[in-house]
Amino acid sequence: MKPRSQALETAPLREFDLVVIGGGIVGAGIAQDAASRGMSVLLIEKNDFSSGTSSKTTKLIHGGLRYLEQFHFSLTRELCHERARLEQLAPQLVRDFSFVLPIAKEQRWMGLKANVGLTLYDFLARDANARRHVRLTQREVLESAPALSPNVVVSGLRFHDCITDDSRLVIEVVKSACQEGALAINYVEVTGFELTNNRVSAVKCHDRYSGKDFSVRARACVNAAGIWTDHLMSMIDSSWRPSVTPAKGIHIMVPQSSFETNTALFLPTLDKRYVFVVPWQRALMIGTTDTPYDGNIEIPLASADEVDYLLSVVNSYSGEKRINRSDVIASWAGLRPLVGGGTSGKDTRKMSREHLIFVGPGSVIGLIGGKLTNYRIMANQVVDKVLATIPELNSGSIKASRTARIMLGGFTDKQDFLTITAQVAAKARRNGIEPATLDHLIASYGKDSEVIVDMVQEDASLNQRICPDFPQIMAEIPFALLHESAVSLEDLLFRRTRLGMVHQGQCLEAVPKVARLVQACLGWDDTRMNVELEAVEQTIRDHFKSSHTQEHLLSPAAS
Ligand code: FAD
């Protein structure tokens, strides 16, 4: 990945085959697909890569068991196959995980329905090397998740899906796109378009750090702006009719000690929803809700009512030990971009999860909806649509998509993955890096974990944990600044290391020491340092205030 400053110098001087707007999973995937076919590509993101919806998901690479209730059989089949594909392309980052669906005494009918659903799920994934579901007795369910109450749970079902780290997945796809020749720049906002013969020929940009405006010439343009899609289209056509409905989903994190489980759980609720309990980053993630949203789309936050809802569902399955608001160590909210405008107030749970590809004004090609799981397939379809809409791009030198064979994490193939991870493990042991940190580094950074281990070899102080209860270490900070275009403390804490989404209290305490290291690396002056400190501390405090969790950490001056 080129340093941000270099990419900013180069971009205005070139004409790109394709400019992709939006650095979430959809935009990253499109940039990777197009670059791997031989197109010249620029990816532009107005905040940080993955800072929109793509860092706030349930982190599942899944077949979408819930979508069977909406009869989305072909979507589920596609997702099951992509799940298997991503396990092969990113074995370090997409990992198989067992889920248990407990059947409650009052919901025995749910057991029958879930068994039929999972049989269909197995059938749709039949040639994707998937593990089939099994029925569990009450004893087996309670052995898997001792926190569940024998007075509530009578039996269960076990099935398999995969878990990932959404932000890290986006960054790895962006890095792969750059490896294939794309240029990617964060903190550059698209503010307008220039049209020639009714077609976008240049994109107007604003660098949010230097304040400079510039234009980039484009032969084709893709709108991958998720919930901001309508806003971009109305810059070209003021009569553009809204086509995206945001649906809010929140998650909370609690310590593993507050709810004993060795498996992920898929909990049916009395109001016909499902709540996941997923071990993630050495804590438990609980989510998600799915509600209509008409608030500020820039900063959705979890509310106290939503937190209480998730806690009440989990507590309805548990024994005497209850989880309370005071157990919540982090919360966040994301907005699903669902297809369909003007549906304010509609039950978003019933809206389709299929994606839509459109050709908009100025011949801009856009995509709405979709999942983290099928980003590769969607990207492939969008690039095909670009080539069909703008045939002169298809000069004969454009190849077929290669992303089904490109491993993420910088590995060339499975053997390379095995050799490199063994080498990194040996080097990490020699340098006193603890096993949990080694596992985290390989999962998060793939082949680049070796660069981080080398940094520790050079300077042992970088082997220090950032937060006491989690394996992330200080060496990840300079690495992300140098090699992953991290610009702010929030990029480092929320998206490159994920600590801001795992334990917001410990993260707040770690902010000053991380800021000092960044200052030493980048030479921030005191003014910049104070601006950065204030910004990230405010973000974390906003999360506490909105969800009424960890309020004890708010100083009187701050509240
Ligand atoms: P985004 O990630 O929002 O990316 C759009 C980007 O465009 C943003 O980063 C934004 O800053 C940028 N942008 C906007 N305007 C401009 C501009 N003018 N100039 C430059 N950049 C701009 N899917 C799964 O497969 N598994 C799951 O477990 C899962 N769980 C989910 C849980 C929740 C709560 C939610 C909300 C969604 C979940 N999804 C899941 C769905 C999935 O996360 C989303 O569909 C996907 O992340 C959308 O990605 P995107 O790239 O379209 O949008």
Side-chain angles (χ1 to χ4, degrees):
M1 206 167 174
K2 275 206 169 59
R4 186 173 177 276
S5 53
Q6 252 182 49
L8 272 169
E9 262 174 40
T10 316
L13 307 176
R14 291 176 53 185
E15 181 184 41
F16 292 89
D17 289 335
L18 185 64
V19 170
V20 182
I21 307 166
I25 190 63
V26 172
I30 294 166
Q32 186 208 26
D33 189 282
S36 76
R37 294 192 197 197
M39 295 166 80
S40 60
V41 179
L42 173 66
L43 175 67
I44 307 177
E45 164 55 49
K46 74 170 176 170
N47 286 311
D48 185 24
F49 301 117
S50 88
S51 59
T53 304
S54 300
S55 56
K56 296 152 188 164
T57 77
T58 313
K59 287 100 181 85
L60 302 181
I61 298 297
H62 63 151
L65 182 56
R66 284 175 299 174
Y67 311 145
L68 291 179
E69 289 179 356
Q70 295 171 316
F71 306 110
H72 287 324
F73 301 135
S74 61
L75 174 64
T76 299
R77 186 167 158 70
E78 174 183 294
L79 293 171
C80 287
H81 281 77
E82 264 317 277
R83 181 184 63 194
R85 172 82 66 186
L86 289 178
E87 262 189 281
Q88 286 172 357
L89 295 180
Q92 76 286 8
L93 189 54
V94 177
R95 294 180 174 181
D96 174 82
F97 217 81
S98 115
F99 284 73
V100 168
L101 189 154
I103 309 297
K105 211 180 275 173
E106 282 84 28
Q107 287 188 300
R108 285 177 205 267
W109 58 270
M110 168 52 89
L112 295 172
K113 188 178 141 194
N115 197 29
V116 172
L118 282 166
T119 305
L120 185 56
Y121 205 52
D122 291 341
F123 175 74
L124 293 169
R126 64 193 178 282
D127 41 4
N129 208 13
R131 294 171 69 175
R132 299 177 73 81
H133 84 278
V134 289
R135 289 175 187 227
L136 301 178
T137 60
Q138 184 194 51
R139 191 173 56 82
E140 287 167 326
V141 175
L142 298 175
E143 273 169 12
S144 298
L148 298 175
S149 165
N151 299 327
V152 178
V153 173
V154 286
S155 62
L157 296 151
R158 185 192 297 283
F159 65 99
H160 284 257
D161 263 323
C162 289
I163 292 191
T164 190
D165 177 332
D166 46 11
S167 267
R168 295 297 324 167
L169 181 65
V170 174
I171 288 290
E172 289 304 333
V173 178
V174 172
K175 282 159 82 171
S176 170
C178 294
Q179 189 69 34
E180 297 293 323
L183 211 55
I185 322 181
N186 51 358
Y187 293 100
V188 167
E189 180 166 9
V190 170
T191 51
F193 298 89
E194 287 168 26
L195 276 76
T196 309
N197 298 329
N198 285 332
R199 190 193 285 173
V200 167
S201 54
V203 176
K204 294 182 190 170
C205 300
H206 175 73
D207 175 357
R208 296 181 70 176
Y209 270 87
S210 71
K212 283 190 186 144
D213 293 322
F214 59 93
S215 287
V216 173
R217 283 173 297 143
R219 300 173 77 196
C221 181
V222 163
N223 177 349
I227 47 166
W228 293 269
T229 298
D230 289 330
H231 178 64
L232 271 171
M233 294 325 301
S234 55
M235 287 181 195
I236 306 179
D237 177 359
S238 55
S239 63
W240 174 258
R241 286 180 50 197
S243 46
V244 183
T245 293
K248 185 179 179 191
I250 80 138
H251 291 87
I252 55 176
M253 300 289 300
V254 297
Q256 279 178 330
S257 57
S258 61
F259 187 90
E260 200 184 345
T261 180
N262 312 312
T263 178
L265 296 168
F266 190 79
L267 304 178
T269 71
L270 288 174
D271 56 350
K272 299 204 172 92
R273 295 164 191 261
Y274 295 96
V275 166
F276 293 98
V277 179
V278 182
W280 184 67
Q281 299 271 356
R282 290 174 166 73
L284 280 184
M285 173 174 60
I286 302 175
T288 175
T289 55
D290 189 336
T291 48
Y293 183 77
D294 56 10
N296 180 354
I297 61 172
E298 298 299 326
I299 33 160
L301 290 167
S303 71
D305 285 350
E306 290 166 322
V307 170
D308 288 346
Y309 171 79
L310 291 179
L311 293 175
S312 73
V313 172
V314 177
N315 285 333
S316 72
Y317 278 90
S318 59
E320 275 165 24
K321 196 172 171 204
R322 304 260 138 184
I323 315 180
N324 303 308
R325 264 194 219 165
S326 58
D327 294 310
V328 176
I329 53 178
S331 68
W332 72 85
L335 298 175
R336 294 178 185 84
L338 299 181
V339 180
T343 47
S344 164
K346 192 172 171 182
D347 185 350
T348 52
R349 286 173 298 159
K350 295 191 178 130
M351 289 179 68
S352 169
R353 305 293 144 144
E354 307 254 17
H355 61 273
L356 171 82
I357 296 173
F358 64 87
V359 182
S363 295
V364 170
I365 287 87
L367 183 142
I368 307 165
K371 312 287 302 159
L372 195 65
T373 306
N374 58 348
Y375 80 87
R376 217 186 47 77
I377 304 266
M378 296 188 294
N380 197 322
Q381 293 170 354
V382 168
V383 178
D384 281 347
K385 189 75 175 175
V386 169
L387 294 171
T389 310
I390 311 207
E392 56 269 36
L393 273 180
N394 210 343
S395 59
S397 59
I398 303 298
K399 296 172 256 177
S401 173
R402 291 194 301 113
T403 59
R405 295 186 302 280
I406 301 175
M407 282 188 79
L408 298 177
F411 301 110
T412 49
D413 54 30
K414 188 79 191 273
Q415 190 50 48
D416 185 44
F417 163 71
L418 294 171
T419 311
I420 298 283
T421 49
Q423 274 170 14
V424 176
K427 209 185 243 189
R429 270 196 300 275
R430 283 200 300 278
N431 286 285
I433 293 176
E434 54 178 317
T437 297
L438 170 66
D439 186 46
H440 153 75
L441 292 179
I442 290 175
S444 305
Y445 302 92
K447 201 167 190 166
D448 279 342
S449 53
E450 187 161 14
V451 181
I452 298 177
V453 172
D454 285 344
M455 286 174 155
V456 170
Q457 192 164 299
E458 291 259 305
D459 177 355
S461 72
L462 294 175
N463 195 10
Q464 189 198 350
R465 283 186 169 205
I466 300 173
C467 293
D469 291 348
F470 302 93
Q472 287 86 339
I473 53 172
M474 293 296 274
E476 294 169 61
I477 303 299
F479 174 81
L481 294 170
L482 289 171
H483 302 288
E484 293 190 336
S485 276
V487 176
S488 70
L489 290 177
E490 196 176 311
D491 301 345
L492 293 163
L493 291 169
F494 277 73
R495 290 172 289 275
R496 301 301 181 282
T497 67
R498 311 315 315 269
L499 289 162
M501 300 185 78
V502 177
H503 198 311
Q504 285 159 349
Q506 288 192 11
C507 189
L508 190 61
E509 281 162 22
V511 165
K513 96 175 159 189
V514 173
R516 280 194 299 278
L517 181 57
V518 178
Q519 188 172 37
C521 294
L522 299 184
W524 279 352
D525 60 19
D526 286 348
T527 315
R528 172 77 192 270
M529 174 91 161
N530 288 336
V531 168
E532 286 286 339
L533 277 172
E534 236 168 67
V536 75
E537 286 176 358
Q538 191 57 47
T539 302
I540 298 173
R541 288 176 200 284
D542 285 347
H543 282 81
F544 296 166
K545 271 193 204 160
S546 160
S547 59
H548 289 265
T549 55
Q550 305 190 68
E551 284 176 308
H552 58 286
L553 292 172
L554 292 171
S555 68
S559 51

